[in-house]
Amino acid sequence: EDQVTQSPEALRLQEGESSSLNCSYTVSGLRGLFWYRQDPGKGPEFLFTLYSAGEEKEKERLKATLTKKESFLHITAPKPEDSATYLCAVQATGANSKLTFGKGITLSVRP
Amino acid sequence: NAGVMQNPRHLVRRRGQEARLRCSPMKGHSHVYWYRQLPEEGLKFMVYLQKENIIDESGMPKERFSAEFPKEGPSILRIQQVVRGDSAAYFCASTQTDRSYEQYFGPGTRLTVT
């Protein structure tokens, strides 16, 4: 069974204080690993897809990396508007395209 | 360019009533996924549908829950005889094809059972 574990559950940062969010996964065969951002009362917003170990993607202050067992979402010099819950999900190879999600990491950035 | 649309956004039902949740995928998308988010838990897959076909319903509770995606109109998630434990946020996502990677989510329907 595919599993995704995210840590820490919650993270409080001062504005400008860089940090990393962890996503550990086990999957029979990885088709893709996804990062989403979710604001309170809203649906998940797509951020990145990573396909193979060693891959990196960047968007503004966010950078996602992937190894064979985990992914990191690095946040450089965060701002209060980066406060949200960050979700990690995996998609296994095979005919079914369902996503298996972790519980998410709630990030709070203080001004 | 409208994204995934869901309605209603909030739904209140008494125990024993039926709940109908609707999802219109992004324009050009013909694959729909439904997920449920319980308080303090992650998103859980429920069902995957194409037009007029259920592809994977492995995450659907065996009783009271059903889903459809007709040739015309939105996808419907139907919950019969709701119980308090059904209170959750229900999200749908869509993709263009079965080979597409990224799933784009709607704003969700928050179901409260009283």
Side-chain angles (χ1 to χ4, degrees), chain B residues 25-79:
Chain B
M26 286 179 70
K27 187 176 180 181
H29 286 196
S30 58
H31 298 250
V32 166
Y33 306 78
W34 285 93
Y35 294 84
R36 177 165 65 174
Q37 189 172 41
L38 292 165
E40 309 303 325
E41 294 195 19
L43 284 152
K44 301 289 186 187
F45 168 78
M46 299 182 75
V47 63
Y48 165 35
L49 310 106
Q50 295 176 23
K51 291 270 186 185
E52 301 184 283
N53 277 312
I54 297 175
I55 306 302
D56 181 356
E57 55 183 348
S58 59
M60 287 275 272
K62 293 288 185 273
E63 298 177 350
R64 302 187 298 107
F65 285 72
S66 62
E68 63 175 4
F69 190 13
K71 187 177 180 181
E72 301 291 337
S75 175
I76 306 286
L77 180 67
R78 181 182 177 206
I79 311 172

Coordinates of all heavy atoms in Angstrom, one line a residue, chain B residues 25-79:
Chain B
P25 N -15.8 19.6 -14.4 CA -14.4 19.6 -14.6 C -14.0 20.9 -15.4 O -14.8 21.6 -16.0 CB -14.1 18.4 -15.4 CG -15.4 18.0 -16.0 CD -16.5 18.5 -15.1
M26 N -12.7 21.1 -15.5 CA -12.2 22.1 -16.3 C -12.5 21.9 -17.8 O -12.7 20.7 -18.2 CB -10.6 22.2 -16.2 CG -10.1 22.8 -14.9 SD -8.3 22.8 -14.8 CE -8.0 24.1 -16.0
K27 N -12.6 22.9 -18.5 CA -13.0 22.8 -19.9 C -12.0 21.9 -20.6 O -10.8 22.1 -20.5 CB -13.0 24.2 -20.6 CG -13.5 24.2 -22.0 CD -13.6 25.6 -22.6 CE -14.1 25.6 -24.0 NZ -14.1 27.0 -24.6
G28 N -12.5 20.9 -21.4 CA -11.6 20.0 -22.1 C -11.1 18.8 -21.3 O -10.5 18.0 -21.8
H29 N -11.5 18.8 -20.0 CA -11.2 17.7 -19.2 C -12.3 16.7 -19.1 O -13.5 17.1 -19.0 CB -10.8 18.1 -17.7 CG -9.5 18.8 -17.6 ND1 -8.9 19.0 -16.4 CD2 -8.7 19.4 -18.5 CE1 -7.8 19.6 -16.6 NE2 -7.6 19.9 -17.9
S30 N -12.0 15.4 -19.3 CA -13.0 14.4 -19.3 C -12.8 13.3 -18.2 O -13.4 12.2 -18.2 CB -13.1 13.7 -20.6 OG -11.8 13.1 -21.0
H31 N -11.9 13.6 -17.3 CA -11.6 12.6 -16.2 C -11.8 13.3 -14.8 O -11.2 14.4 -14.7 CB -10.2 12.1 -16.3 CG -9.9 11.3 -17.6 ND1 -9.7 10.0 -17.6 CD2 -9.9 11.7 -18.9 CE1 -9.5 9.6 -18.8 NE2 -9.6 10.6 -19.6
V32 N -12.5 12.7 -14.0 CA -12.9 13.3 -12.7 C -12.5 12.4 -11.5 O -12.7 11.2 -11.6 CB -14.4 13.7 -12.6 CG1 -14.8 14.0 -11.2 CG2 -14.7 14.9 -13.5
Y33 N -11.9 12.9 -10.5 CA -11.6 12.2 -9.3 C -12.3 12.9 -8.1 O -12.4 14.1 -8.0 CB -10.1 12.3 -9.0 CG -9.2 11.8 -10.2 CD1 -9.0 12.7 -11.2 CD2 -8.7 10.6 -10.2 CE1 -8.2 12.3 -12.3 CE2 -7.9 10.1 -11.3 CZ -7.7 11.0 -12.3 OH -6.9 10.6 -13.4
W34 N -12.8 12.1 -7.2 CA -13.4 12.6 -5.9 C -12.5 12.2 -4.8 O -12.1 11.0 -4.7 CB -14.8 12.1 -5.7 CG -15.9 12.7 -6.6 CD1 -16.3 12.2 -7.8 CD2 -16.6 13.9 -6.3 NE1 -17.3 13.1 -8.3 CE2 -17.5 14.1 -7.4 CE3 -16.7 14.8 -5.3 CZ2 -18.4 15.1 -7.5 CZ3 -17.5 15.8 -5.3 CH2 -18.4 16.0 -6.4
Y35 N -12.3 13.1 -3.9 CA -11.5 12.9 -2.6 C -12.3 13.5 -1.4 O -13.1 14.4 -1.6 CB -10.2 13.7 -2.7 CG -9.2 13.2 -3.7 CD1 -9.3 13.6 -5.0 CD2 -8.2 12.2 -3.4 CE1 -8.4 13.2 -6.0 CE2 -7.3 11.8 -4.4 CZ -7.4 12.3 -5.7 OH -6.5 11.8 -6.6
R36 N -12.1 12.9 -0.3 CA -12.7 13.3 0.9 C -11.7 13.7 1.9 O -10.6 13.1 2.1 CB -13.6 12.2 1.5 CG -14.3 12.6 2.8 CD -15.4 11.7 3.2 NE -15.0 10.3 3.5 CZ -15.8 9.4 3.9 NH1 -17.0 9.6 4.1 NH2 -15.3 8.1 4.1
Q37 N -11.9 14.9 2.6 CA -11.0 15.3 3.6 C -11.7 15.4 5.0 O -12.5 16.3 5.2 CB -10.4 16.7 3.2 CG -9.2 17.2 4.1 CD -8.6 18.4 3.5 OE1 -9.2 19.3 3.0 NE2 -7.3 18.5 3.6
L38 N -11.4 14.5 5.8 CA -11.9 14.5 7.2 C -11.1 15.5 8.1 O -9.9 15.6 7.8 CB -12.0 13.1 7.8 CG -13.0 12.2 7.1 CD1 -12.7 10.7 7.5 CD2 -14.4 12.6 7.5
P39 N -11.7 16.0 9.1 CA -10.9 16.9 10.0 C -9.7 16.2 10.5 O -9.7 15.0 10.9 CB -11.9 17.2 11.2 CG -13.3 17.0 10.5 CD -13.1 15.9 9.5
E40 N -8.6 16.8 10.5 CA -7.3 16.3 11.0 C -6.7 15.2 10.2 O -5.8 14.5 10.6 CB -7.4 15.9 12.5 CG -8.0 16.9 13.4 CD -7.2 18.2 13.4 OE1 -6.0 18.2 13.3 OE2 -7.9 19.3 13.5
E41 N -7.3 14.9 9.0 CA -6.8 13.8 8.2 C -6.5 14.4 6.8 O -6.9 15.4 6.4 CB -7.8 12.7 8.1 CG -8.0 12.0 9.4 CD -8.8 10.7 9.2 OE1 -8.7 10.2 8.0 OE2 -9.3 10.2 10.1
G42 N -5.7 13.6 6.1 CA -5.3 14.0 4.7 C -6.5 13.7 3.7 O -7.5 13.1 4.1
L43 N -6.3 14.2 2.5 CA -7.2 13.8 1.5 C -7.2 12.4 1.2 O -6.1 11.8 1.0 CB -6.9 14.6 0.2 CG -7.2 16.1 0.2 CD1 -6.3 16.9 -0.6 CD2 -8.7 16.3 -0.2
K44 N -8.4 11.8 1.0 CA -8.5 10.3 0.7 C -9.2 10.1 -0.6 O -10.3 10.7 -0.8 CB -9.2 9.6 1.8 CG -8.6 9.7 3.2 CD -7.3 8.9 3.3 CE -6.8 9.0 4.8 NZ -5.4 8.4 4.9
F45 N -8.6 9.4 -1.5 CA -9.2 9.0 -2.8 C -10.5 8.3 -2.5 O -10.6 7.4 -1.7 CB -8.3 8.2 -3.6 CG -8.9 7.6 -4.8 CD1 -9.1 8.3 -6.0 CD2 -9.2 6.2 -4.8 CE1 -9.7 7.8 -7.1 CE2 -9.8 5.6 -5.9 CZ -10.0 6.4 -7.1
M46 N -11.5 8.6 -3.3 CA -12.8 7.9 -3.3 C -13.1 7.2 -4.6 O -13.2 5.9 -4.6 CB -14.0 8.8 -3.0 CG -13.9 9.6 -1.7 SD -15.3 10.6 -1.3 CE -16.5 9.4 -0.9
V47 N -13.1 7.9 -5.7 CA -13.5 7.3 -7.0 C -13.0 8.1 -8.1 O -12.7 9.3 -8.0 CB -15.1 7.3 -7.0 CG1 -15.7 8.7 -7.0 CG2 -15.6 6.5 -8.3
Y48 N -12.8 7.4 -9.2 CA -12.2 7.9 -10.5 C -13.2 7.6 -11.6 O -13.5 6.4 -11.8 CB -10.8 7.4 -10.7 CG -10.2 7.6 -12.1 CD1 -10.5 8.7 -12.8 CD2 -9.4 6.6 -12.6 CE1 -9.9 8.9 -14.1 CE2 -8.8 6.8 -13.9 CZ -9.0 7.9 -14.6 OH -8.5 8.1 -15.8
L49 N -13.6 8.6 -12.3 CA -14.6 8.4 -13.4 C -14.2 9.1 -14.7 O -13.5 10.1 -14.7 CB -16.0 9.0 -13.0 CG -16.6 8.7 -11.6 CD1 -16.4 9.9 -10.7 CD2 -18.0 8.3 -11.8
Q50 N -14.5 8.4 -15.8 CA -14.5 9.1 -17.1 C -16.0 9.3 -17.5 O -16.9 8.7 -16.8 CB -13.8 8.2 -18.1 CG -12.3 8.0 -17.8 CD -11.7 7.1 -18.8 OE1 -12.2 6.9 -19.9 NE2 -10.6 6.5 -18.5
K51 N -16.2 9.9 -18.6 CA -17.6 10.1 -19.0 C -18.3 8.7 -19.2 O -17.8 7.9 -19.9 CB -17.6 10.8 -20.4 CG -17.2 12.3 -20.3 CD -18.4 13.2 -20.1 CE -18.0 14.6 -20.2 NZ -19.1 15.5 -19.8
E52 N -19.4 8.6 -18.4 CA -20.2 7.4 -18.5 C -19.5 6.1 -18.0 O -20.0 5.0 -18.2 CB -20.7 7.1 -19.9 CG -21.5 8.3 -20.5 CD -22.1 8.0 -21.9 OE1 -21.3 8.1 -22.8 OE2 -23.3 7.7 -21.9
N53 N -18.4 6.2 -17.4 CA -17.7 5.0 -16.8 C -17.1 5.3 -15.5 O -16.5 6.3 -15.2 CB -16.5 4.7 -17.8 CG -16.9 3.9 -19.0 OD1 -17.6 2.9 -18.8 ND2 -16.5 4.3 -20.1
I54 N -17.2 4.3 -14.6 CA -16.5 4.3 -13.3 C -15.2 3.5 -13.5 O -15.3 2.3 -13.8 CB -17.3 3.7 -12.2 CG1 -18.6 4.6 -12.0 CG2 -16.5 3.6 -10.9 CD1 -19.5 4.0 -10.9
I55 N -14.1 4.1 -13.4 CA -12.8 3.4 -13.6 C -12.3 2.8 -12.4 O -11.8 1.6 -12.4 CB -11.7 4.4 -14.2 CG1 -12.3 5.2 -15.4 CG2 -10.4 3.7 -14.5 CD1 -12.7 4.2 -16.5
D56 N -12.4 3.5 -11.2 CA -11.8 2.9 -10.0 C -12.7 3.5 -8.8 O -12.7 4.7 -8.6 CB -10.4 3.3 -9.8 CG -9.7 2.8 -8.6 OD1 -10.4 2.1 -7.7 OD2 -8.5 3.0 -8.4
E57 N -13.4 2.6 -8.1 CA -14.1 3.0 -7.0 C -13.6 2.4 -5.7 O -14.4 2.2 -4.7 CB -15.6 2.8 -7.2 CG -16.0 1.3 -7.5 CD -17.5 1.1 -7.8 OE1 -18.3 2.1 -7.5 OE2 -17.8 0.1 -8.3
S58 N -12.4 2.1 -5.7 CA -11.8 1.3 -4.5 C -11.8 2.1 -3.2 O -11.7 1.5 -2.2 CB -10.3 0.9 -4.9 OG -9.5 2.1 -5.1
G59 N -11.9 3.4 -3.3 CA -12.0 4.2 -2.1 C -13.4 4.6 -1.6 O -13.5 5.3 -0.6
M60 N -14.4 4.1 -2.3 CA -15.8 4.4 -1.9 C -16.3 3.5 -0.9 O -16.1 2.3 -1.0 CB -16.7 4.3 -3.2 CG -16.5 5.4 -4.2 SD -17.4 6.8 -3.8 CE -19.0 6.4 -4.6
P61 N -16.9 4.0 0.2 CA -17.6 3.2 1.1 C -18.6 2.3 0.4 O -19.2 2.7 -0.6 CB -18.3 4.1 2.1 CG -17.5 5.4 2.0 CD -17.0 5.5 0.6
K62 N -18.7 1.0 0.9 CA -19.5 0.0 0.1 C -21.0 0.4 0.1 O -21.7 0.0 -0.8 CB -19.3 -1.3 0.8 CG -17.9 -1.9 0.6 CD -17.6 -2.3 -0.8 CE -16.3 -3.0 -0.9 NZ -15.2 -2.1 -1.2
E63 N -21.4 1.0 1.1 CA -22.9 1.4 1.2 C -23.1 2.9 1.2 O -22.3 3.6 1.6 CB -23.5 0.7 2.4 CG -23.4 -0.8 2.5 CD -23.9 -1.4 3.8 OE1 -24.2 -0.6 4.7 OE2 -24.0 -2.6 3.9
R64 N -24.2 3.3 0.7 CA -24.8 4.6 0.7 C -24.1 5.6 -0.2 O -24.7 6.7 -0.5 CB -24.7 5.2 2.2 CG -25.5 4.4 3.2 CD -25.5 5.1 4.6 NE -24.2 5.3 5.1 CZ -23.5 6.5 5.2 NH1 -24.1 7.6 4.7 NH2 -22.3 6.6 5.7
F65 N -22.9 5.3 -0.7 CA -22.2 6.2 -1.6 C -22.3 5.7 -3.0 O -22.1 4.6 -3.3 CB -20.7 6.4 -1.2 CG -20.5 7.2 0.1 CD1 -20.8 6.7 1.3 CD2 -19.9 8.4 0.0 CE1 -20.6 7.4 2.5 CE2 -19.7 9.2 1.1 CZ -20.0 8.7 2.4
S66 N -22.5 6.7 -4.0 CA -22.4 6.4 -5.4 C -21.9 7.6 -6.1 O -22.0 8.7 -5.6 CB -23.8 5.9 -5.9 OG -24.7 6.9 -5.8
A67 N -21.4 7.3 -7.3 CA -20.9 8.4 -8.2 C -21.3 8.2 -9.6 O -21.3 7.0 -10.0 CB -19.4 8.6 -8.0
E68 N -21.4 9.2 -10.4 CA -21.7 9.1 -11.8 C -21.1 10.3 -12.5 O -20.9 11.4 -11.9 CB -23.2 9.0 -12.1 CG -24.0 10.2 -11.7 CD -25.4 10.1 -12.1 OE1 -25.8 9.0 -12.6 OE2 -26.2 11.1 -12.0
F69 N -20.8 10.1 -13.8 CA -20.3 11.2 -14.6 C -21.0 11.0 -16.0 O -20.5 10.3 -16.8 CB -18.8 11.1 -14.8 CG -18.2 12.3 -15.4 CD1 -18.9 13.5 -15.6 CD2 -16.8 12.3 -15.8 CE1 -18.3 14.6 -16.2 CE2 -16.2 13.4 -16.4 CZ -17.0 14.5 -16.6
P70 N -22.2 11.6 -16.2 CA -22.9 11.3 -17.4 C -22.3 12.0 -18.6 O -21.4 12.8 -18.5 CB -24.3 11.9 -17.1 CG -24.0 13.0 -16.1 CD -22.9 12.4 -15.2
K71 N -22.8 11.6 -19.8 CA -22.3 12.1 -21.0 C -22.5 13.6 -21.1 O -21.6 14.4 -21.6 CB -23.0 11.5 -22.2 CG -22.5 11.8 -23.6 CD -23.3 11.1 -24.7 CE -22.7 11.4 -26.0 NZ -23.5 10.7 -27.1
E72 N -23.6 14.1 -20.6 CA -23.8 15.5 -20.5 C -24.0 15.9 -19.0 O -24.7 15.2 -18.3 CB -25.1 15.9 -21.3 CG -25.0 15.6 -22.8 CD -24.0 16.4 -23.5 OE1 -23.7 17.5 -23.0 OE2 -23.5 16.0 -24.6
G73 N -23.4 17.0 -18.6 CA -23.6 17.5 -17.3 C -22.5 17.2 -16.3 O -21.5 16.5 -16.7
P74 N -22.6 17.6 -15.1 CA -21.6 17.5 -14.1 C -21.5 16.0 -13.6 O -22.4 15.2 -13.7 CB -21.9 18.4 -13.0 CG -23.4 18.5 -13.0 CD -23.8 18.4 -14.5
S75 N -20.4 15.8 -12.9 CA -20.2 14.5 -12.1 C -21.0 14.7 -10.8 O -21.0 15.8 -10.2 CB -18.8 14.2 -11.9 OG -18.7 13.1 -11.0
I76 N -21.6 13.7 -10.4 CA -22.4 13.7 -9.1 C -21.9 12.7 -8.1 O -21.7 11.5 -8.5 CB -23.9 13.4 -9.4 CG1 -24.5 14.3 -10.5 CG2 -24.7 13.5 -8.1 CD1 -24.8 15.7 -10.1
L77 N -21.7 13.2 -6.9 CA -21.4 12.2 -5.8 C -22.6 12.3 -4.9 O -23.0 13.3 -4.5 CB -20.2 12.7 -5.0 CG -19.8 11.8 -3.8 CD1 -19.3 10.4 -4.3 CD2 -18.7 12.5 -3.0
R78 N -23.2 11.1 -4.7 CA -24.4 11.0 -4.0 C -24.2 10.2 -2.7 O -23.6 9.1 -2.8 CB -25.5 10.3 -4.9 CG -26.8 10.1 -4.3 CD -27.7 9.4 -5.3 NE -29.0 9.1 -4.8 CZ -29.8 8.1 -5.2 NH1 -29.4 7.3 -6.2 NH2 -31.0 8.0 -4.7
I79 N -24.7 10.7 -1.6 CA -24.6 10.1 -0.3 C -26.0 9.9 0.2 O -26.7 10.9 0.5 CB -23.8 10.8 0.7 CG1 -22.4 11.3 0.1 CG2 -23.5 10.0 1.9 CD1 -21.6 12.2 1.0

